[in-house]
Amino acid sequence: MSVFTPVPEPALAEWLQDYAIGRLVALKGISAGVQNSNFFVTTTLGRYVLTLFEGMTRAELPYYLHLMAHLSRHGLPVPGPIANRHNEYLGTLQERPAALVMRLSGASEMNPGPGHCAKVGAMLAGLHLAGLSYGRRQDNPRGPAWRSETARAVHDFLPADERRLLDAEIAFQATVDLARLPAGAIHADLFRDNVLWETGDDGEAHIGGVIDFYFAGFDTLLFDVAVTVNDWCSTPDGRLDPARSAALLAAYHAERPFTADEADAWPAMLRAAALRFWLSRAADFHLPRSGELVLVKNPDEYRDILRLRITNVPPLPR
């Protein structure tokens, strides 16, 4: 979540008159993330997150907002979007499509243990199961076509060894048959900073929120698991921590058992997930967009994770 388009307080105060959430008290830009312009908004009636969408068409956005509403109705800790007085989730602010969602409480856990990973695995399975009844369909915006296009865009910026790695992985992923893998609505970006934790009455950490659904789409469920494992279960050098990986995968498997086809495809999915984030970070690094508060992450981390996933992958539970 970055700020590419500033929002003056008077403009927001006027825009909020179309909502039944009180008057503006405070506005603060959010510097984490890389895709849209995001702000914390406090009003006399509550706390919210405002997003101005920078790179998506207006026609794409109902998919994300209604998915969040759908998952929230199914009891998942997802920020429900706020409808305006015309019963619409999507508005226009600063000449950008804009939406408000509830601001959930809690904080990210950047040093998770196996217990955290188990809860994330169970929650992700619940998200996938609830998403099976979501009626809208929109392909993963960071799927194969995007991978090929982005690979071409960053190719000449890379040193020779990275170009060879990229070319080989794009060719390998083109051979992977995904048709037999279960598919549905996926989060596609369930990193540690997109899960909020609270301490319950029992003194245990519990998931208080899952945020940032603006990379969601229809894709294989296993790809979403791979994205999550690559972040939550990686050690600082990029290898998979056995205890965290086992905890996350076992908890997911207990809610939505993996199929034999998924077990076979697991190494390729971990590689596809690593490739996706290497490419997006390389594009942000070599082809940056201007903005007021913009976070650009180091692409080398996921380049190294990809190299490791090619050679060393623990199996899925069967």
Side-chain angles (χ1 to χ4, degrees):
M1 299 180 180
S2 297
V3 175
F4 299 97
T5 301
V7 175
E9 288 194 12
L12 178 59
E14 180 179 356
W15 189 72
L16 288 176
Q17 293 177 12
D18 207 26
Y19 291 79
I21 60 171
R23 298 183 304 278
L24 179 64
V25 173
L27 170 68
K28 181 181 179 182
I30 304 173
S31 61
V34 295
Q35 183 69 10
N36 300 305
S37 296
N38 294 272
F39 307 83
F40 290 134
V41 173
T42 303
T43 75
T44 51
L45 296 181
R47 302 191 310 160
Y48 308 90
V49 174
L50 167 68
T51 298
L52 273 59
F53 299 97
E54 302 286 353
M56 305 176 191
T57 67
R58 197 175 189 89
E60 293 176 294
L61 294 172
Y63 176 87
Y64 306 106
L65 297 171
H66 285 276
L67 175 61
M68 293 161 67
H70 174 88
L71 296 173
S72 180
R73 287 197 304 272
H74 281 72
L76 289 158
V78 172
I82 306 301
N84 61 23
R85 296 178 188 270
H86 309 288
N87 207 32
E88 298 287 342
Y89 292 141
L90 192 61
T92 301
L93 180 62
Q94 298 298 95
E95 301 181 346
R96 299 287 193 275
L100 280 168
V101 302
M102 294 296 299
R103 180 179 175 184
L104 302 179
S105 58
S108 300
E109 174 55 71
M110 303 310 291
N111 295 294
H116 296 97
C117 291
K119 290 175 181 175
V120 168
M123 184 280 306
L124 182 59
L127 186 154
H128 287 166
L129 291 170
L132 294 176
S133 61
Y134 183 52
R136 296 171 185 250
R137 175 166 171 170
Q138 190 164 286
D139 288 340
N140 179 1
R142 297 294 185 265
W146 173 89
R147 289 200 303 255
S148 297
E149 179 182 347
T150 306
R152 289 191 294 270
V154 304
H155 193 272
D156 290 347
F157 291 99
L158 304 179
D161 63 322
E162 293 186 14
R163 292 199 300 269
R164 289 192 295 270
L165 173 65
L166 179 57
D167 291 343
E169 190 60 28
I170 290 289
F172 168 75
Q173 291 295 333
T175 70
V176 178
D177 182 7
L178 305 177
R180 299 176 66 181
L181 302 182
I186 67 169
H187 184 284
D189 192 28
L190 195 63
F191 277 44
R192 303 175 200 192
D193 55 356
N194 284 333
V195 177
L196 306 178
W197 297 86
E198 296 181 307
T199 302
D201 294 338
D202 57 2
E204 293 277 330
H206 298 279
I207 295 177
V210 178
I211 61 175
D212 199 359
F213 278 79
Y214 300 119
F215 287 111
F218 186 92
D219 206 338
T220 60
L221 304 181
L222 191 64
F223 177 79
D224 213 13
V225 179
V227 167
T228 307
V229 166
N230 272 344
D231 180 68
W232 285 85
C233 305
S234 287
T235 59
D237 66 0
R239 301 180 188 278
L240 287 176
D241 177 83
R244 281 185 279 159
S245 298
L248 193 154
L249 294 172
Y252 183 99
H253 182 67
E255 303 297 327
R256 189 194 74 84
F258 294 113
T259 68
D261 289 326
E262 287 180 308
D264 292 339
W266 180 233
M269 286 299 96
L270 282 171
R271 291 168 61 170
L275 175 64
R276 176 260 186 266
F277 285 96
W278 179 31
L279 283 171
S280 63
R281 292 184 180 189
D284 291 335
F285 183 83
H286 295 294
L287 303 166
R289 293 182 291 164
S290 60
E292 187 179 61
L293 297 168
V294 179
L295 175 65
V296 177
K297 297 181 179 180
N298 185 356
D300 294 352
E301 177 187 5
Y302 269 84
R303 174 205 63 198
D304 295 342
I305 287 176
L306 173 59
R307 285 174 170 157
L308 288 166
R309 299 301 179 266
I310 291 172
T311 60
N312 184 17
V313 176
L316 275 185
R318 287 181 181 265

mmCIF file of all heavy atoms in Angstrom, residues 271-302:
data_model
loop_
_atom_site.group_PDB
_atom_site.id
_atom_site.type_symbol
_atom_site.label_atom_id
_atom_site.label_comp_id
_atom_site.label_asym_id
_atom_site.label_seq_id
_atom_site.Cartn_x
_atom_site.Cartn_y
_atom_site.Cartn_z
ATOM 1 N N ARG A 271 7.693 -22.876 -7.577
ATOM 2 C CA ARG A 271 8.510 -22.139 -8.540
ATOM 3 C C ARG A 271 7.708 -21.020 -9.213
ATOM 4 O O ARG A 271 8.206 -19.898 -9.388
ATOM 5 C CB ARG A 271 9.075 -23.096 -9.583
ATOM 6 C CG ARG A 271 10.112 -24.045 -9.033
ATOM 7 C CD ARG A 271 10.471 -25.176 -9.968
ATOM 8 N NE ARG A 271 11.050 -24.726 -11.242
ATOM 9 C CZ ARG A 271 11.604 -25.527 -12.131
ATOM 10 N NH1 ARG A 271 11.660 -26.845 -11.887
ATOM 11 N NH2 ARG A 271 12.121 -25.054 -13.250
ATOM 12 N N ALA A 272 6.463 -21.308 -9.581
ATOM 13 C CA ALA A 272 5.617 -20.289 -10.216
ATOM 14 C C ALA A 272 5.379 -19.116 -9.273
ATOM 15 O O ALA A 272 5.392 -17.947 -9.688
ATOM 16 C CB ALA A 272 4.286 -20.904 -10.647
ATOM 17 N N ALA A 273 5.162 -19.409 -7.994
ATOM 18 C CA ALA A 273 4.942 -18.341 -7.021
ATOM 19 C C ALA A 273 6.196 -17.502 -6.832
ATOM 20 O O ALA A 273 6.122 -16.262 -6.720
ATOM 21 C CB ALA A 273 4.493 -18.950 -5.690
ATOM 22 N N ALA A 274 7.365 -18.138 -6.799
ATOM 23 C CA ALA A 274 8.615 -17.386 -6.680
ATOM 24 C C ALA A 274 8.852 -16.532 -7.920
ATOM 25 O O ALA A 274 9.275 -15.366 -7.830
ATOM 26 C CB ALA A 274 9.778 -18.347 -6.455
ATOM 27 N N LEU A 275 8.582 -17.096 -9.091
ATOM 28 C CA LEU A 275 8.754 -16.355 -10.340
ATOM 29 C C LEU A 275 7.862 -15.122 -10.375
ATOM 30 O O LEU A 275 8.304 -14.035 -10.790
ATOM 31 C CB LEU A 275 8.427 -17.269 -11.522
ATOM 32 C CG LEU A 275 8.433 -16.622 -12.906
ATOM 33 C CD1 LEU A 275 9.823 -16.117 -13.271
ATOM 34 C CD2 LEU A 275 7.918 -17.616 -13.955
ATOM 35 N N ARG A 276 6.618 -15.282 -9.946
ATOM 36 C CA ARG A 276 5.676 -14.148 -9.988
ATOM 37 C C ARG A 276 6.202 -12.957 -9.197
ATOM 38 O O ARG A 276 6.149 -11.797 -9.646
ATOM 39 C CB ARG A 276 4.320 -14.596 -9.435
ATOM 40 C CG ARG A 276 3.274 -13.463 -9.326
ATOM 41 C CD ARG A 276 3.225 -12.976 -7.884
ATOM 42 N NE ARG A 276 2.181 -12.005 -7.640
ATOM 43 C CZ ARG A 276 2.341 -10.696 -7.688
ATOM 44 N NH1 ARG A 276 3.518 -10.174 -8.027
ATOM 45 N NH2 ARG A 276 1.353 -9.880 -7.413
ATOM 46 N N PHE A 277 6.763 -13.190 -7.998
ATOM 47 C CA PHE A 277 7.212 -12.062 -7.177
ATOM 48 C C PHE A 277 8.607 -11.585 -7.569
ATOM 49 O O PHE A 277 8.925 -10.404 -7.371
ATOM 50 C CB PHE A 277 7.113 -12.421 -5.690
ATOM 51 C CG PHE A 277 5.682 -12.402 -5.224
ATOM 52 C CD1 PHE A 277 4.949 -13.567 -5.176
ATOM 53 C CD2 PHE A 277 5.066 -11.209 -4.902
ATOM 54 C CE1 PHE A 277 3.613 -13.551 -4.794
ATOM 55 C CE2 PHE A 277 3.738 -11.177 -4.521
ATOM 56 C CZ PHE A 277 3.000 -12.353 -4.466
ATOM 57 N N TRP A 278 9.424 -12.449 -8.120
ATOM 58 C CA TRP A 278 10.676 -11.949 -8.693
ATOM 59 C C TRP A 278 10.368 -10.976 -9.822
ATOM 60 O O TRP A 278 10.946 -9.884 -9.900
ATOM 61 C CB TRP A 278 11.526 -13.125 -9.193
ATOM 62 C CG TRP A 278 12.833 -12.703 -9.822
ATOM 63 C CD1 TRP A 278 13.585 -11.608 -9.507
ATOM 64 C CD2 TRP A 278 13.540 -13.378 -10.874
ATOM 65 N NE1 TRP A 278 14.718 -11.564 -10.297
ATOM 66 C CE2 TRP A 278 14.715 -12.632 -11.147
ATOM 67 C CE3 TRP A 278 13.292 -14.540 -11.609
ATOM 68 C CZ2 TRP A 278 15.629 -13.006 -12.126
ATOM 69 C CZ3 TRP A 278 14.212 -14.921 -12.572
ATOM 70 C CH2 TRP A 278 15.365 -14.165 -12.825
ATOM 71 N N LEU A 279 9.448 -11.342 -10.695
ATOM 72 C CA LEU A 279 9.114 -10.485 -11.835
ATOM 73 C C LEU A 279 8.485 -9.166 -11.394
ATOM 74 O O LEU A 279 8.850 -8.100 -11.913
ATOM 75 C CB LEU A 279 8.166 -11.219 -12.784
ATOM 76 C CG LEU A 279 8.798 -12.279 -13.678
ATOM 77 C CD1 LEU A 279 7.718 -13.069 -14.408
ATOM 78 C CD2 LEU A 279 9.754 -11.637 -14.680
ATOM 79 N N SER A 280 7.540 -9.211 -10.478
ATOM 80 C CA SER A 280 6.883 -7.964 -10.080
ATOM 81 C C SER A 280 7.858 -7.029 -9.385
ATOM 82 O O SER A 280 7.839 -5.809 -9.612
ATOM 83 C CB SER A 280 5.668 -8.251 -9.195
ATOM 84 O OG SER A 280 6.045 -8.881 -7.995
ATOM 85 N N ARG A 281 8.732 -7.579 -8.558
ATOM 86 C CA ARG A 281 9.710 -6.723 -7.882
ATOM 87 C C ARG A 281 10.768 -6.205 -8.855
ATOM 88 O O ARG A 281 11.217 -5.051 -8.721
ATOM 89 C CB ARG A 281 10.360 -7.489 -6.730
ATOM 90 C CG ARG A 281 9.392 -7.788 -5.608
ATOM 91 C CD ARG A 281 10.057 -8.464 -4.436
ATOM 92 N NE ARG A 281 9.106 -8.731 -3.368
ATOM 93 C CZ ARG A 281 9.429 -9.164 -2.161
ATOM 94 N NH1 ARG A 281 10.711 -9.371 -1.864
ATOM 95 N NH2 ARG A 281 8.505 -9.380 -1.248
ATOM 96 N N ALA A 282 11.145 -7.025 -9.830
ATOM 97 C CA ALA A 282 12.096 -6.551 -10.841
ATOM 98 C C ALA A 282 11.484 -5.418 -11.659
ATOM 99 O O ALA A 282 12.168 -4.435 -11.991
ATOM 100 C CB ALA A 282 12.503 -7.704 -11.750
ATOM 101 N N ALA A 283 10.190 -5.542 -11.990
ATOM 102 C CA ALA A 283 9.525 -4.477 -12.749
ATOM 103 C C ALA A 283 9.446 -3.197 -11.924
ATOM 104 O O ALA A 283 9.698 -2.091 -12.437
ATOM 105 C CB ALA A 283 8.137 -4.931 -13.167
ATOM 106 N N ASP A 284 9.100 -3.308 -10.631
ATOM 107 C CA ASP A 284 9.041 -2.125 -9.778
ATOM 108 C C ASP A 284 10.414 -1.485 -9.610
ATOM 109 O O ASP A 284 10.535 -0.257 -9.515
ATOM 110 C CB ASP A 284 8.484 -2.495 -8.400
ATOM 111 C CG ASP A 284 7.017 -2.875 -8.441
ATOM 112 O OD1 ASP A 284 6.316 -2.431 -9.365
ATOM 113 O OD2 ASP A 284 6.581 -3.637 -7.548
ATOM 114 N N PHE A 285 11.460 -2.313 -9.584
ATOM 115 C CA PHE A 285 12.815 -1.803 -9.381
ATOM 116 C C PHE A 285 13.359 -1.136 -10.640
ATOM 117 O O PHE A 285 13.935 -0.035 -10.584
ATOM 118 C CB PHE A 285 13.733 -2.957 -8.953
ATOM 119 C CG PHE A 285 15.138 -2.542 -8.644
ATOM 120 C CD1 PHE A 285 15.465 -2.026 -7.407
ATOM 121 C CD2 PHE A 285 16.146 -2.676 -9.600
ATOM 122 C CE1 PHE A 285 16.767 -1.647 -7.120
ATOM 123 C CE2 PHE A 285 17.441 -2.297 -9.321
ATOM 124 C CZ PHE A 285 17.757 -1.775 -8.079
ATOM 125 N N HIS A 286 13.196 -1.787 -11.790
ATOM 126 C CA HIS A 286 13.797 -1.287 -13.028
ATOM 127 C C HIS A 286 12.883 -0.320 -13.789
ATOM 128 O O HIS A 286 13.378 0.484 -14.595
ATOM 129 C CB HIS A 286 14.153 -2.461 -13.941
ATOM 130 C CG HIS A 286 15.220 -3.352 -13.383
ATOM 131 N ND1 HIS A 286 16.520 -2.937 -13.200
ATOM 132 C CD2 HIS A 286 15.180 -4.649 -12.962
ATOM 133 C CE1 HIS A 286 17.237 -3.930 -12.690
ATOM 134 N NE2 HIS A 286 16.452 -4.975 -12.537
ATOM 135 N N LEU A 287 11.582 -0.391 -13.541
ATOM 136 C CA LEU A 287 10.611 0.466 -14.233
ATOM 137 C C LEU A 287 9.725 1.138 -13.197
ATOM 138 O O LEU A 287 8.511 0.921 -13.160
ATOM 139 C CB LEU A 287 9.773 -0.373 -15.205
ATOM 140 C CG LEU A 287 10.567 -1.155 -16.265
ATOM 141 C CD1 LEU A 287 9.680 -2.201 -16.925
ATOM 142 C CD2 LEU A 287 11.132 -0.191 -17.299
ATOM 143 N N PRO A 288 10.287 1.956 -12.329
ATOM 144 C CA PRO A 288 9.534 2.496 -11.188
ATOM 145 C C PRO A 288 8.486 3.514 -11.621
ATOM 146 O O PRO A 288 8.628 4.206 -12.625
ATOM 147 C CB PRO A 288 10.616 3.144 -10.329
ATOM 148 C CG PRO A 288 11.688 3.535 -11.306
ATOM 149 C CD PRO A 288 11.684 2.439 -12.347
ATOM 150 N N ARG A 289 7.428 3.587 -10.810
ATOM 151 C CA ARG A 289 6.416 4.631 -10.952
ATOM 152 C C ARG A 289 6.677 5.708 -9.907
ATOM 153 O O ARG A 289 7.125 5.414 -8.803
ATOM 154 C CB ARG A 289 5.002 4.055 -10.744
ATOM 155 C CG ARG A 289 4.576 3.084 -11.816
ATOM 156 C CD ARG A 289 3.156 2.602 -11.546
ATOM 157 N NE ARG A 289 3.111 1.755 -10.348
ATOM 158 C CZ ARG A 289 1.983 1.450 -9.719
ATOM 159 N NH1 ARG A 289 0.836 1.948 -10.129
ATOM 160 N NH2 ARG A 289 2.001 0.663 -8.661
ATOM 161 N N SER A 290 6.377 6.953 -10.253
ATOM 162 C CA SER A 290 6.568 8.040 -9.298
ATOM 163 C C SER A 290 5.417 8.052 -8.299
ATOM 164 O O SER A 290 4.299 7.655 -8.605
ATOM 165 C CB SER A 290 6.635 9.382 -10.022
ATOM 166 O OG SER A 290 5.437 9.629 -10.732
ATOM 167 N N GLY A 291 5.700 8.507 -7.083
ATOM 168 C CA GLY A 291 4.670 8.583 -6.066
ATOM 169 C C GLY A 291 5.183 9.333 -4.855
ATOM 170 O O GLY A 291 6.383 9.563 -4.684
ATOM 171 N N GLU A 292 4.257 9.711 -3.984
ATOM 172 C CA GLU A 292 4.609 10.467 -2.790
ATOM 173 C C GLU A 292 5.294 9.581 -1.749
ATOM 174 O O GLU A 292 6.290 9.941 -1.143
ATOM 175 C CB GLU A 292 3.334 11.087 -2.208
ATOM 176 C CG GLU A 292 3.585 12.043 -1.060
ATOM 177 C CD GLU A 292 2.286 12.625 -0.547
ATOM 178 O OE1 GLU A 292 1.421 11.862 -0.081
ATOM 179 O OE2 GLU A 292 2.121 13.854 -0.625
ATOM 180 N N LEU A 293 4.729 8.403 -1.518
ATOM 181 C CA LEU A 293 5.309 7.411 -0.601
ATOM 182 C C LEU A 293 5.276 6.074 -1.322
ATOM 183 O O LEU A 293 4.219 5.487 -1.476
ATOM 184 C CB LEU A 293 4.485 7.310 0.685
ATOM 185 C CG LEU A 293 4.387 8.536 1.591
ATOM 186 C CD1 LEU A 293 3.297 8.308 2.631
ATOM 187 C CD2 LEU A 293 5.707 8.806 2.264
ATOM 188 N N VAL A 294 6.420 5.602 -1.780
ATOM 189 C CA VAL A 294 6.442 4.376 -2.579
ATOM 190 C C VAL A 294 7.492 3.424 -2.016
ATOM 191 O O VAL A 294 8.650 3.800 -1.823
ATOM 192 C CB VAL A 294 6.746 4.677 -4.066
ATOM 193 C CG1 VAL A 294 6.781 3.382 -4.858
ATOM 194 C CG2 VAL A 294 5.699 5.613 -4.641
ATOM 195 N N LEU A 295 7.088 2.183 -1.764
ATOM 196 C CA LEU A 295 7.990 1.154 -1.289
ATOM 197 C C LEU A 295 8.357 0.235 -2.442
ATOM 198 O O LEU A 295 7.473 -0.343 -3.072
ATOM 199 C CB LEU A 295 7.320 0.347 -0.169
ATOM 200 C CG LEU A 295 8.104 -0.849 0.366
ATOM 201 C CD1 LEU A 295 9.385 -0.371 1.053
ATOM 202 C CD2 LEU A 295 7.253 -1.655 1.335
ATOM 203 N N VAL A 296 9.651 0.116 -2.745
ATOM 204 C CA VAL A 296 10.141 -0.793 -3.779
ATOM 205 C C VAL A 296 10.955 -1.881 -3.100
ATOM 206 O O VAL A 296 11.945 -1.598 -2.421
ATOM 207 C CB VAL A 296 10.999 -0.044 -4.821
ATOM 208 C CG1 VAL A 296 11.550 -1.022 -5.846
ATOM 209 C CG2 VAL A 296 10.165 1.039 -5.510
ATOM 210 N N LYS A 297 10.536 -3.135 -3.272
ATOM 211 C CA LYS A 297 11.185 -4.250 -2.595
ATOM 212 C C LYS A 297 12.274 -4.851 -3.478
ATOM 213 O O LYS A 297 12.196 -4.823 -4.698
ATOM 214 C CB LYS A 297 10.144 -5.305 -2.229
ATOM 215 C CG LYS A 297 9.096 -4.787 -1.245
ATOM 216 C CD LYS A 297 8.084 -5.858 -0.877
ATOM 217 C CE LYS A 297 7.068 -5.324 0.115
ATOM 218 N NZ LYS A 297 6.064 -6.349 0.501
ATOM 219 N N ASN A 298 13.272 -5.429 -2.832
ATOM 220 C CA ASN A 298 14.435 -5.980 -3.518
ATOM 221 C C ASN A 298 14.044 -7.241 -4.294
ATOM 222 O O ASN A 298 13.590 -8.226 -3.703
ATOM 223 C CB ASN A 298 15.515 -6.314 -2.493
ATOM 224 C CG ASN A 298 16.796 -6.779 -3.130
ATOM 225 O OD1 ASN A 298 16.892 -6.932 -4.344
ATOM 226 N ND2 ASN A 298 17.801 -7.013 -2.305
ATOM 227 N N PRO A 299 14.213 -7.256 -5.630
ATOM 228 C CA PRO A 299 13.850 -8.455 -6.392
ATOM 229 C C PRO A 299 14.771 -9.642 -6.149
ATOM 230 O O PRO A 299 14.395 -10.785 -6.429
ATOM 231 C CB PRO A 299 13.942 -7.985 -7.844
ATOM 232 C CG PRO A 299 14.887 -6.831 -7.820
ATOM 233 C CD PRO A 299 14.680 -6.159 -6.498
ATOM 234 N N ASP A 300 15.981 -9.407 -5.623
ATOM 235 C CA ASP A 300 16.933 -10.497 -5.459
ATOM 236 C C ASP A 300 16.424 -11.571 -4.510
ATOM 237 O O ASP A 300 16.780 -12.752 -4.644
ATOM 238 C CB ASP A 300 18.271 -9.959 -4.948
ATOM 239 C CG ASP A 300 18.965 -9.065 -5.961
ATOM 240 O OD1 ASP A 300 18.484 -8.992 -7.113
ATOM 241 O OD2 ASP A 300 19.978 -8.430 -5.603
ATOM 242 N N GLU A 301 15.596 -11.176 -3.531
ATOM 243 C CA GLU A 301 15.088 -12.151 -2.571
ATOM 244 C C GLU A 301 14.336 -13.274 -3.284
ATOM 245 O O GLU A 301 14.574 -14.466 -3.019
ATOM 246 C CB GLU A 301 14.157 -11.466 -1.564
ATOM 247 C CG GLU A 301 13.524 -12.428 -0.568
ATOM 248 C CD GLU A 301 12.487 -11.766 0.318
ATOM 249 O OE1 GLU A 301 12.175 -10.567 0.110
ATOM 250 O OE2 GLU A 301 11.964 -12.455 1.231
ATOM 251 N N TYR A 302 13.447 -12.913 -4.214
ATOM 252 C CA TYR A 302 12.650 -13.948 -4.874
ATOM 253 C C TYR A 302 13.390 -14.596 -6.039
ATOM 254 O O TYR A 302 13.062 -15.716 -6.425
ATOM 255 C CB TYR A 302 11.273 -13.403 -5.261
ATOM 256 C CG TYR A 302 10.305 -13.662 -4.126
ATOM 257 C CD1 TYR A 302 10.231 -12.791 -3.047
ATOM 258 C CD2 TYR A 302 9.539 -14.817 -4.093
ATOM 259 C CE1 TYR A 302 9.389 -13.059 -1.980
ATOM 260 C CE2 TYR A 302 8.699 -15.093 -3.043
ATOM 261 C CZ TYR A 302 8.627 -14.218 -1.979
ATOM 262 O OH TYR A 302 7.802 -14.504 -0.925
#
